[in-house]
Amino acid sequence: MSSANRRNPHLTLVSSSPQPRSAPPQGLELAWKNRQILSDRLDWPRGMLAICERVERDFPDWSIVWSDAWYWSGSRTRVGFYAEFRKTIFGVTVPKVFGATEKALRGALAKQAAAITRRKADRDRTIAFIRAAMR
């Protein structure tokens, strides 16, 4: 079903919900349903929801959304895909990731995954050093 975009009345978008969708990974059913509602309410262009789901299948520790420059955490954003790490890792800060395209997002997520691995290793070495010093 087509509709005019609320932010740009000259841009006609197609609702993403009629697209056939695969079942979400176990434990992410509510998150996937919420993203579908978000995509319908914010008039995401056709295919953006499917790309988010496809990338999230490959990077299940990340929550993926598409944005057309609406406000994200109080600041104006660029058009593209945003990813936020789902888990909390003690002593490791994980920033949000942006990619203008699916390929760019995948590259940024792979780079961030490597950085997380390095940060966890640094944290583990620090903890081991502190434990050894306390003996």
Side-chain angles (χ1 to χ4, degrees):
M1 176 180 297
S2 295
S3 66
N5 185 306
R6 289 186 288 272
R7 288 167 297 288
N8 184 350
H10 304 289
L11 179 65
T12 300
L13 302 175
V14 179
S15 174
S16 58
S17 59
Q19 300 175 53
R21 299 175 67 222
S22 59
Q26 188 173 8
L28 296 179
E29 297 87 0
L30 182 59
W32 280 42
K33 181 64 178 169
N34 287 342
R35 183 175 40 228
Q36 180 183 6
I37 292 168
L38 183 71
S39 73
D40 288 342
R41 292 202 176 152
L42 296 178
D43 297 325
W44 289 8
R46 186 175 191 85
M48 297 301 110
L49 178 61
I51 291 171
C52 290
E53 291 173 350
R54 190 167 52 239
V55 173
E56 199 167 291
R57 279 194 188 286
D58 295 337
F59 296 90
D61 292 339
W62 293 86
S63 175
I64 315 293
V65 296
W66 180 83
S67 172
D68 66 345
W70 55 281
Y71 286 86
W72 177 281
S73 299
S75 62
R76 194 107 173 124
T77 62
R78 299 170 284 174
V79 174
F81 298 93
Y82 288 83
E84 189 167 5
F85 200 65
R86 290 185 196 283
K87 298 180 178 179
T88 301
I89 303 173
F90 174 75
V92 177
T93 302
V94 181
K96 291 182 176 118
V97 174
F98 171 78
T101 64
E102 179 180 358
K103 183 178 180 180
L105 179 64
R106 286 178 179 278
L109 287 171
K111 185 184 287 186
Q112 194 57 245
I116 291 168
T117 300
R118 285 192 307 274
R119 288 186 201 122
K120 285 166 70 175
D122 290 345
R123 177 208 57 197
D124 293 345
R125 279 192 297 277
T126 302
I127 291 171
F129 176 77
I130 292 169
R131 285 185 178 152
M134 292 174 65
R135 289 186 201 154

